[in-house]
Amino acid sequence: MKNYVEQVNEQMTLQEGTQVIEQLLLESYLQPGISTKELARRTLLPVPVTAAVKRELINAGALIQEQGVRCTSEGAAWIEEEWGYRGLDRSFHQALFQSNEWDDELSVILKKLKTLFPLRPSVDVRIDQSKCTPETSLRRAILCLQQHALIGKRILCVGDDDLVSVSIGLLLKKLFPNGGHTATRIDVMDIDERFIRYIEDVAKEYDLPIRCHRIDFREPLPLTLCGQYDGFFTDPPYTLQGMSLFISRGIQAMKRLKGLPIFLSFAHKSPAFMLAMQREFVRMGLTVSASFPHFNEYEAAEMIANRSQMFILRTTDQTEPEHSGAFTDALYTGEVRQTLRTYRCKQCSRHIFVGIKGEIATIEQLKNEGCPSCANDTFNMVEKRAVSGSGDPG
């Protein structure tokens, strides 16, 4: 069958990449008769560009102009075959785009999650685990759907003590009530074998398309898992190093395409930390397409007031991982608090001591202020050692 997205991409060069062509075609399939103006609003494209993409899809035989725009029978068949939309419960799907309330349909999924979540393994605070609520886990799955990043995609969870993979799997079963949907795959990478076993048991019991891999993110990602995924979720350790490492591993695992989504959950932090955090995004060639304060709720996480924010990041043609080899820096909150780390400036090679008893308290402060000698903001960690004392430096 014709690949309509590739055909249009050959005819016109879009800075946004092929993802917007895919979304425009999908919106026309899901909302027959949609106007060009509404397509522009949903794809965030200028109206003239939207009209040009629509025209190319009409020329390719995927769309037809008829009281708005809609898919041809050939176009609809291609979407259902290639992207796995055949058998979709359209009324339920549409309802999820119109409301974030827990209606009767979602309450069935939530009821299952509320029986599964209390049976999760206990958290290991040494690796910064915390338990989000069942509502939060399901809310993440719905957000993935609303971003057109779920059906027919290969989704990765970089760490999954929040059971997002399970929520996505159960949501899929509700979206395709007659079964037979095989186009969506969900993978989990986690270091904790207890969570891996639990997720595998749940996936087997409910027939969910989940595959688990025991991965220590300090080690380079296996080549067999690189370049495979359309997007990923992560709720990393709430340190700058932890965030950068987990996102780097996710980037390595993703396909090399523009516009792919990264769903990042992270604590609300100080302006200085947020500045350093956004510099990491820029350094890795990522853009922030959306942010939702207080999106995530956790059980017994008083240190972060039981809430954290959700970022949706997007890849660009400059996206590269900050870390691709072995990672030797302090990673988890406890490690960062108890170590004195020596960083070398990548530009002038000056050594700077970072930690409670160092020249600068935190790595985010160092990156914000730059090297004391040359103002460069990129560094390599060359040594770390334990120090006595307590308190949070950042």
Side-chain angles (χ1 to χ4, degrees):
M1 301 178 74
K2 297 179 180 179
N3 187 320
Y4 295 110
V5 175
E6 289 183 2
Q7 284 188 66
V8 172
N9 190 50
E10 290 173 359
Q11 296 301 316
M12 57 192 308
T13 302
L14 290 174
Q15 293 181 342
E16 295 80 4
T18 59
Q19 301 302 307
V20 292
I21 304 173
E22 179 180 318
Q23 185 182 351
L24 192 149
L25 179 56
L26 192 55
E27 296 285 3
S28 303
Y29 169 79
L30 294 169
Q31 301 290 331
I34 191 170
S35 68
T36 302
K37 185 176 181 180
E38 181 63 16
L39 280 173
R41 188 185 71 82
R42 296 192 183 193
T43 58
L44 303 179
L45 289 173
V47 172
V49 177
T50 303
V53 176
K54 181 187 73 173
R55 185 165 54 250
E56 290 298 335
L57 284 167
I58 290 173
N59 292 339
L63 299 181
I64 185 170
Q65 187 76 40
E66 184 180 89
Q67 296 180 333
V69 68
R70 65 187 67 236
C71 281
T72 61
S73 57
E74 293 82 6
W78 185 82
I79 289 171
E80 291 171 357
E81 177 68 23
E82 295 297 316
W83 294 345
Y85 275 78
R86 183 173 290 113
L88 175 69
D89 183 338
R90 289 203 178 205
S91 61
F92 176 52
H93 182 273
Q94 186 173 357
L96 294 178
F97 281 78
Q98 295 175 340
S99 173
N100 288 321
E101 299 299 322
W102 304 112
D103 58 21
D104 291 341
E105 300 281 0
L106 283 175
S107 66
V108 175
I109 304 174
L110 190 58
K111 185 177 180 180
K112 289 180 182 177
L113 292 175
K114 285 184 174 180
T115 64
L116 294 170
F117 271 54
L119 302 176
R120 282 181 291 181
S122 59
V123 297
D124 186 344
V125 295
R126 295 171 301 174
I127 55 175
D128 288 0
Q129 287 180 345
S130 60
K131 291 182 175 180
C132 81
T133 63
E135 291 86 352
T136 293
S137 185
L138 182 54
R139 193 179 297 119
R140 292 179 188 175
I142 294 168
L143 182 64
C144 185
L145 177 75
Q146 292 171 337
Q147 294 293 313
H148 298 298
L150 194 155
I151 299 175
K153 303 298 184 181
R154 190 165 182 188
I155 306 160
L156 174 65
C157 295
V158 180
D160 197 24
D161 51 342
D162 294 329
L163 306 189
V164 175
S165 59
V166 173
S167 292
I168 293 173
L170 292 175
L171 181 60
L172 267 176
K173 290 183 76 71
K174 190 67 180 174
L175 286 163
F176 295 90
N178 297 321
H181 177 79
T182 59
T184 305
R185 304 298 305 174
I186 311 157
D187 281 36
V188 172
M189 296 181 188
D190 205 296
I191 194 173
D192 194 327
E193 292 182 351
R194 301 171 306 149
F195 275 93
I196 287 176
R197 287 195 299 269
Y198 185 66
I199 292 170
E200 287 177 336
D201 289 344
V202 171
K204 184 176 181 180
E205 179 180 355
Y206 289 93
D207 190 26
L208 306 179
I210 300 172
R211 186 176 63 168
C212 294
H213 314 266
R214 186 187 181 280
I215 299 291
D216 181 350
F217 296 123
R218 293 182 187 273
E219 300 300 322
L221 205 64
L223 291 177
T224 54
L225 295 175
C226 292
Q228 303 293 314
Y229 301 92
D230 298 293
F232 69 89
F233 283 85
T234 191
D235 194 340
Y238 293 159
T239 63
L240 192 66
Q241 301 96 311
M243 182 213 72
S244 180
L245 177 63
F246 277 50
I247 291 180
S248 290
R249 297 308 188 215
I251 289 172
Q252 287 179 287
M254 281 209 294
K255 297 173 182 175
R256 301 288 292 180
L257 295 172
K258 293 187 289 186
L260 297 181
I262 297 168
F263 299 91
L264 168 66
S265 296
F266 206 82
H268 295 93
K269 290 283 191 174
S270 67
F273 192 106
M274 293 300 297
L275 178 60
M277 188 172 169
Q278 292 185 46
R279 288 187 180 192
E280 290 295 295
F281 297 160
V282 173
R283 189 172 288 114
M284 289 187 278
L286 301 171
T287 64
V288 179
S289 68
S291 64
F292 305 93
H294 307 293
F295 183 93
N296 304 292
E297 184 175 2
Y298 301 85
E299 302 169 2
E302 286 79 9
M303 286 293 291
I304 59 170
N306 300 99
R307 295 277 182 171
S308 77
Q309 57 196 320
M310 169 66 76
F311 293 95
I312 302 178
L313 311 176
R314 296 276 176 181
T315 57
T316 68
D317 55 3
Q318 298 179 46
T319 296
E320 293 290 343
E322 177 79 358
H323 308 283
S324 55
F327 184 83
T328 57
D329 201 348
L331 176 59
Y332 300 107
T333 305
E335 295 176 332
V336 171
R337 287 175 177 168
Q338 298 173 13
T339 57
L340 180 66
R341 287 146 359 251
T342 305
Y343 288 90
R344 182 175 58 239
C345 174
K346 285 188 176 181
Q347 184 163 293
C348 72
S349 298
R350 172 172 173 169
H351 284 197
I352 303 105
F353 300 101
V354 176
I356 298 173
K357 297 185 177 182
E359 302 168 67
I360 293 179
T362 63
I363 183 61
E364 60 266 16
Q365 181 184 346
L366 176 59
K367 288 187 174 182
N368 282 340
E369 296 180 4
C371 172
S373 296
C374 69
N376 174 58
D377 67 352
T378 56
F379 307 87
N380 286 325
M381 203 280 296
V382 295
E383 184 185 21
K384 65 176 179 178
R385 58 187 176 87
V387 296
S388 60
S390 61
D392 187 347

